[in-house]
Amino acid sequence: GESVGLHLPTLSVQEGDNSIINCAYSNSASDYFIWYKQESGKGPQFIIDIRSNMDKRQGQRVTVLLNKTVKHLSLQIAATQPGDSAVYFCAEKGGVAAGNKLTFGGGTRVLVKP
Amino acid sequence: NAGVTQTPKFQVLKTGQSMTLQCAQDMNHNSMYWYRQDPGMGLRLIYYSASEGTTDKGEVPNGYNVSRLNKREFSLRLESAAPSQTSVYFCASSGLARAVFGIQYFGAGTRLSVL
């Protein structure tokens, strides 16, 4: 079936280093992708999105890369800070055939070491 | 600006009891959603409302009902709670700037335990 998944369930990063969180998707018809951040005890918070007609999109300290050839999505966080410690989810929008629904991956926990 | 507000934040029920989870948004969004989040799993869609007056089933609707009371409010009801419904429930909304299922803004969640 269609799925969105993450390769690394936990990522430990030294403060100041860059973080890379990966996400694989299997629905080639997906046309929109979102990254969310969820801190402990809180709801998911929008970070950045990208449409399927783009390969890269940058925000403040974050960059999302989309490789449609291998159905891979990544989130890069520059100069990781303690406040970046959270669980990160990718979500894909499956297109009209999938009812335009969002499917969420299982999440990657990022731990920032001081 | 409160965004998406959910009540209650915590709830403990006995098997067979009923309850309603409340959600309200103040962003004038058309679309609203209910998800559940279980340990080690991503968010799963229970029901959604693309616009006021409409509701549709998501991935895991069994055991739940919803009501889109008005544009601001979207409630989730458990008629006869079961231990399998122990979870964290999130309400979300999205506006006209994106199509339904675009950027969604989430509430803080309701942590429900069914004994």
Side-chain angles (χ1 to χ4, degrees):
Chain A
E2 304 296 353
S3 65
V4 175
L6 296 172
H7 299 301
L8 299 174
T10 302
L11 178 66
S12 290
V13 182
Q14 198 71 37
E15 182 178 356
D17 288 351
N18 296 336
S19 302
I20 300 176
I21 306 164
N22 297 302
C23 178
Y25 66 95
S26 58
N27 184 355
S28 57
S30 292
D31 58 4
Y32 179 62
F33 304 87
I34 306 175
W35 279 101
Y36 282 92
K37 171 186 180 183
Q38 186 175 23
E39 296 175 279
S40 182
K42 298 183 179 180
Q45 177 184 6
F46 169 80
I47 301 174
I48 192 167
D49 60 352
I50 187 167
R51 294 198 178 278
S52 59
N53 60 355
M54 302 172 67
D55 297 322
K56 179 180 180 179
R57 191 165 188 216
Q58 289 184 293
Q60 187 176 9
R61 282 201 307 119
V62 294
T63 301
V64 55
L65 299 178
L66 176 62
N67 185 331
K68 294 180 287 294
T69 301
V70 295
K71 300 190 189 73
H72 185 266
L73 190 69
S74 68
L75 177 70
Q76 300 178 1
I77 304 174
T80 310
Q81 301 170 359
D84 295 326
S85 291
V87 176
Y88 291 80
F89 295 93
C90 64
E92 63 172 325
K93 180 180 169 186
V96 175
N100 285 315
K101 292 181 175 59
L102 278 181
T103 300
F104 287 82
T108 292
R109 182 174 301 280
V110 173
L111 299 174
V112 181
K113 298 178 290 184
Chain B
N1 190 335
V4 179
T5 303
Q6 292 183 234
T7 57
K9 295 189 186 304
F10 302 93
Q11 183 71 49
V12 178
L13 293 177
K14 295 180 179 178
T15 297
Q17 287 185 317
S18 62
M19 79 160 294
T20 299
L21 281 64
Q22 306 288 351
C23 175
Q25 52 91 8
D26 61 3
M27 296 175 281
N28 200 33
H29 284 171
N30 276 352
S31 303
M32 298 184 73
Y33 316 84
W34 277 104
Y35 292 90
R36 61 178 289 173
Q37 185 176 42
D38 300 300
M41 299 184 70
L43 294 157
R44 292 186 292 169
L45 183 65
I46 304 171
Y47 271 93
Y48 68 100
S49 171
S51 61
E52 186 178 356
T54 68
T55 61
D56 286 285
K57 295 179 180 179
E59 180 185 356
V60 288
N62 292 342
Y64 305 95
N65 285 300
V66 290
S67 296
R68 184 73 183 267
L69 304 172
N70 48 56
K71 190 171 186 179
R72 291 186 63 250
E73 298 173 290
F74 188 39
S75 64
L76 179 71
R77 183 162 178 83
L78 287 70
E79 291 291 350
S80 179
S84 61
Q85 294 179 304
T86 293
S87 189
V88 181
Y89 291 85
F90 288 100
C91 177
S93 69
S94 64
L96 285 174
R98 303 280 182 174
V100 175
F101 295 105
I103 299 175
Q104 297 179 22
Y105 298 89
F106 286 80
T110 294
R111 284 146 186 83
L112 175 68
S113 293
V114 183
L115 306 177

